Amino acid sequence: MWVLMYVFSYSVSPAATNDKAEWRLRPTVVFQEFSNEERCKAAKSTLEASLSQAGARLKSGLEDLKSLGKADPSQIIIAYNVECLPK
C-alpha cells in the first residue's frame, strides 16, 4: 500500500493588495491511498503538473496586474510538496 501526500499553501503580502492584513491559507494536507507504487507515482506526476500550471496562470495574471500598477507577483508565495510514501 502506498500513500500520496500533498501539502499546499499560499500567502499574499499586504503590499500586493489594498487589504490591510496578509492573506494566508494555512497549509492543507491531503492523503490518498494507492494499491501500488506505480499508481501513486502516476497520480503524483499529474498532481504536480496541475499545481504547477495553476501557479503559472496565477503568476501570469499577476504580471498583467503589475503592468497596471495594481499588484506585485513577488509578494505572492505559493508552496506545495507532493510525495508518494510506502504505508
Side-chain angles (χ1 to χ4, degrees), residues 23 42 85:
W23 301 356
L85 307 167

Side-chain angles (χ1 to χ4, degrees), residues 30-59:
V30 177
F31 298 94
Q32 176 68 48
E33 290 187 355
F34 289 87
S35 58
N36 62 54
E37 184 179 11
E38 293 77 27
R39 292 186 71 204
C40 186
K41 286 186 175 185
K44 176 183 188 253
S45 178
T46 300
L47 182 57
E48 285 175 327
S50 178
L51 291 171
S52 178
Q53 290 170 1
R57 283 193 304 266
L58 176 60
K59 291 286 186 179

Side-chain angles (χ1 to χ4, degrees), residues 7-79:
V7 180
F8 176 80
S9 67
Y10 75 87
S11 67
V12 180
S13 167
T17 69
N18 291 330
D19 200 349
K20 299 282 189 238
E22 181 174 346
W23 301 356
R24 184 177 301 269
L25 176 68
R26 291 191 176 147
T28 301
V29 181
V30 177
F31 298 94
Q32 176 68 48
E33 290 187 355
F34 289 87
S35 58
N36 62 54
E37 184 179 11
E38 293 77 27
R39 292 186 71 204
C40 186
K41 286 186 175 185
K44 176 183 188 253
S45 178
T46 300
L47 182 57
E48 285 175 327
S50 178
L51 291 171
S52 178
Q53 290 170 1
R57 283 193 304 266
L58 176 60
K59 291 286 186 179
S60 174
L62 290 171
E63 287 292 342
D64 292 344
L65 289 173
K66 182 180 181 181
S67 68
L68 299 172
K70 299 289 184 184
D72 184 354
S74 68
Q75 301 296 323
I76 310 295
I77 299 170
I78 302 168

